[in-house]
Amino acid sequence: RERMPAGSLDVHLNGHRVKGIEIGGEAFALDGSTFTVDPAFIRDGENEIRVSRKSGSGSLFASALARFYSQEEPVKAAGAGLSVVRRYTLLKRLPTLLKGDIIDRQEIKDGDSLTSGDRVECMLTLTADHDVDYVLVEDFKPAGFESLQVRSGEQMSARSLPDHAQVLELHQELKDTKVALFLDHIPKGSWEIRYELVAEAPGTYHAMPTRAQAMYAPHVRCNSDEIRLTVKDKPGQGGAK
């Protein structure tokens, strides 16, 4: 008995009438009805959408979905309930006289240049304000980089900080554009995940922010900073024309 008889509705955004809707006797559902509003009516921060009935009776239900995109560059970290920090480290093998080969580790910063063939360690630090269940972490690879691992499902883990005393097993899936990591449960605190990439194709790339969220509570989510990197040919090798 909730079908609304013929009538009319008004949609207001921040006090401005942006749409009038007429409903016929049988057209009681408006799925797919879209319209554009003047951007001048949209405010920074909180906005109010109000649907009011001008005529007709019965129950009225309305829902709203908002999508928005930041145009800042580089994208900055943000989060609610979770936070994630991504760090890249260049791994260089150096021969020594007494200790054999050692790994020299150099932090990679936004705007740095690498050489094709360089190995890069990606370290993700995930911090939970409280215990969180079923967490998905999506780390977007810079184009031109590939994961050193070649098969999904290989063993990976998250280790507690600062002492690595606790270890959480996780499931990883390798995608064309990202590495997806799944954790059943994250206790409150900070956790470190590491894996390696290889710089391959020369070019200038954007590593889009790492994203993490509670899969069944999507308001608990976060993203890392974006980072921009350049990959150059090895000395003596020309790029493809």
Side-chain angles (χ1 to χ4, degrees):
R1 303 179 188 178
E2 293 179 342
R3 175 176 296 186
M4 178 181 173
S8 60
L9 311 171
D10 278 342
V11 180
H12 293 80
L13 175 61
N14 295 326
H16 300 277
R17 181 179 180 273
V18 294
K19 181 70 172 178
I21 300 173
E22 297 293 330
I23 301 178
E26 295 299 323
F28 62 94
L30 297 176
D31 292 343
S33 176
T34 62
F35 55 92
T36 302
V37 301
D38 187 336
F41 297 156
I42 301 175
R43 301 190 293 237
D44 287 343
E46 188 172 302
N47 289 265
E48 180 189 60
I49 300 171
R50 182 166 56 87
V51 180
S52 61
R53 178 166 35 221
K54 293 176 63 177
S55 63
S57 60
S59 299
L60 171 63
F61 298 92
S63 62
L65 173 65
R67 290 191 177 96
F68 62 93
Y69 303 89
S70 171
Q71 294 182 324
E72 65 182 330
E73 187 176 321
V75 178
K76 297 299 183 181
L82 289 171
S83 65
V84 62
V85 175
R86 176 177 60 194
R87 294 186 178 89
Y88 287 136
T89 303
L90 177 62
L91 305 178
K92 287 285 189 180
R93 188 178 298 277
L94 299 178
T96 65
L97 186 61
L98 298 178
K99 296 183 179 180
D101 289 353
I102 62 172
I103 299 297
D104 180 49
R105 308 171 69 88
Q106 302 173 13
E107 183 181 358
I108 299 171
K109 298 181 179 179
D110 183 43
D112 281 355
S113 295
L114 305 172
T115 301
S116 180
D118 280 347
R119 288 177 57 179
V120 174
E121 182 178 64
C122 176
M123 182 173 70
L124 306 176
T125 302
L126 186 63
T127 300
D129 295 346
H130 49 79
D131 289 7
V132 183
D133 291 324
Y134 301 110
V135 175
L136 166 63
V137 181
E138 297 172 292
D139 187 35
F140 291 86
K141 300 180 293 184
F145 285 67
E146 291 296 337
S147 172
L148 192 66
Q149 293 179 311
V150 297
R151 185 172 60 185
S152 294
E154 293 185 10
Q155 185 174 6
M156 287 185 66
S157 60
R159 298 179 180 273
S160 61
L161 292 176
D163 53 9
H164 289 185
Q166 294 179 274
V167 178
L168 303 177
E169 298 302 321
L170 57 86
H171 176 74
Q172 57 95 350
E173 292 184 4
L174 306 178
K175 309 291 186 179
D176 288 341
T177 60
K178 63 187 176 183
V179 175
L181 308 169
F182 301 86
L183 298 100
D184 291 342
H185 179 78
I186 295 181
K188 178 182 177 180
S190 295
W191 301 85
E192 181 183 271
I193 303 169
R194 298 189 183 210
Y195 71 94
E196 290 186 22
L197 298 168
V198 179
E200 293 188 344
T204 299
Y205 305 110
H206 292 240
M208 300 310 293
T210 304
R211 298 190 309 204
Q213 72 173 57
M215 297 171 65
Y216 300 105
H219 61 281
V220 179
R221 61 189 302 129
C222 62
N223 64 269
S224 72
D225 289 329
E226 174 189 359
I227 187 172
R228 297 159 293 186
L229 301 170
T230 297
V231 178
K232 298 181 178 180
D233 281 314
K234 288 183 178 179
Q237 294 183 353
K241 300 297 184 182

